[in-house]
Amino acid sequence: MLRIAVPNKGSLSGPAAEMLHEAGYQQRRESKELRIVDPENEVEFFYLRPRDIAIYVASGRLDMGITGRDLLIDSGADAEEILPLGFARSTFRFAAKPGTANGIEDLKGKTVATSYEGIVAGHLADAGVDASVVHLDGAVETAIELGVAEVIADVVETGTSLRNAGLEVFGEPIMKSEAIVIRRTGTDGEEPKVQQFLRRLQGVLVARTYVMMDYDCRVEQLEKAVALTPGLESPTVSPLHNEGWVAVRAMVPAKEAQRIMDDLYAIGARAILTTAIHACRL
């Protein structure tokens, strides 16, 4: 059986379980469950702290895991990213009182408080900046007010909590993170069960990104219509009973579907429909 780690709590937990469910895998029914077996799919899921998942995968005890890119890098574990999953996106940045610094070069000799010591220390070293890093677990915004540090480095989403603390971000982002699938570095990724697992997740990603669009159009407008809906390889075109008309079917990006429908209507297409895609293999 494949042994796969899944976040047991936090912002990664719910979306990860939802994606696995959409991919056809059984998931736990109660948050207290730490391990479940999905015999039909030959997978065993272990529900672990997100920060620990990279360590377990790197040890070789587990085949793969779902965690955050920031947590993987911060851990320093011997594991690698193999598939981005598109949820739990965040940006990691420096912040301080206005006028403290404009860029990373201004951090020389200063103290930076963060919950991600590995990321920050590595980023400072790569930039050749000699600064101290203090590790704190959560609520790093108060570190400046209490005099523990002059600068903080943390995940920034809307920036509201930083502004409320009288802080502002500065410099370039340290990194951008999202949920990812990881495996031990150097592991053979061609194993059929591993490839099947990744294909299923990729299928969910595609299904969430695209919709199926069907419409009728005049033959003389077909080339213009196909240019608007090229599909993945090419659209399916079928003749209709009424001479001079064809039916067209193609996958289109969901976020562009309304605009595409307007453009199709403008060139004379009619009976334009979109349908959600629940699963696919490309």
Side-chain angles (χ1 to χ4, degrees):
M1 281 194 173
L2 277 181
R3 294 158 64 88
I4 300 173
V6 183
N8 68 343
K9 61 182 179 179
S11 61
L12 292 166
S13 178
E18 182 180 352
M19 175 170 278
L20 290 169
H21 177 72
E22 288 181 39
Y25 294 103
Q26 293 182 27
Q27 289 298 287
R28 61 181 181 175
R29 297 180 179 179
E30 297 182 4
S31 60
K32 293 181 179 180
E33 292 182 275
L34 302 180
R35 169 184 168 274
I36 68 164
V37 176
D38 182 350
E40 185 173 329
N41 291 301
E42 299 185 56
V43 178
E44 190 173 7
F45 292 104
F46 294 82
Y47 296 87
L48 307 170
R49 290 179 67 247
R51 276 190 173 274
D52 297 337
I53 287 175
I55 304 298
Y56 281 105
V57 172
S59 74
R61 304 292 182 182
L62 300 178
D63 298 297
M64 289 182 288
I66 295 176
T67 188
R69 183 179 294 126
D70 52 351
L71 297 175
L72 168 62
I73 295 174
D74 192 60
S75 72
D78 191 20
E80 61 184 358
E81 174 180 340
I82 55 174
L83 179 67
L85 297 177
F87 63 85
R89 288 192 172 104
S90 61
T91 303
F92 202 70
R93 305 198 66 170
F94 290 113
K97 293 285 187 182
T100 300
N102 294 315
I104 190 171
E105 64 279 357
D106 297 327
L107 299 185
K108 183 178 180 179
K110 289 183 168 57
T111 300
V112 182
T114 183
S115 300
Y116 298 81
E117 185 178 1
I119 292 176
V120 176
H123 186 70
L124 291 170
D126 290 342
V129 175
D130 184 13
S132 300
V133 180
V134 174
H135 177 84
L136 296 175
D137 284 322
V140 295
E141 296 94 339
T142 59
I144 295 177
E145 182 180 353
L146 296 176
V148 174
E150 296 101 328
V151 178
I152 66 168
D154 202 8
V155 172
V156 177
E157 295 180 359
T158 64
T160 301
S161 60
L162 292 178
R163 287 191 294 271
N164 290 341
L167 308 178
E168 64 178 12
V169 298
F170 64 87
E172 295 296 319
I174 300 169
M175 69 169 295
K176 293 187 176 181
S177 182
E178 65 180 293
I180 58 174
V181 178
I182 64 171
R183 68 181 176 196
R184 187 179 183 182
T185 303
T187 303
D188 179 16
E190 298 305 315
E191 185 180 347
K193 290 180 182 178
V194 171
Q195 288 301 309
Q196 182 187 67
F197 178 76
L198 295 176
R199 277 196 302 271
R200 286 194 182 193
L201 294 186
Q202 288 167 333
V204 173
L205 292 172
V206 173
R208 290 178 173 183
T209 305
Y210 289 86
V211 294
M212 189 65 72
M213 185 169 289
D214 294 89
Y215 59 91
D216 301 338
C217 77
R218 297 285 305 176
V219 172
E220 56 266 26
Q221 296 298 326
L222 180 58
E223 290 305 314
K224 290 182 180 179
V226 168
L228 292 171
T229 60
L232 296 184
E233 280 80 28
S234 65
T236 300
V237 180
S238 305
L240 293 179
H241 179 72
N242 289 340
E243 187 176 349
W245 284 83
V246 291
V248 183
R249 162 170 280 201
M251 289 171 61
V252 302
K255 64 181 180 181
E256 299 177 20
Q258 292 295 334
R259 177 190 60 78
I260 293 172
M261 293 175 77
D262 290 339
D263 292 344
L264 286 171
Y265 192 88
I267 64 171
R270 294 296 182 265
I272 308 169
L273 308 173
T274 61
T275 308
I277 300 171
H278 297 290
C280 72
R281 296 291 185 276
L282 299 181

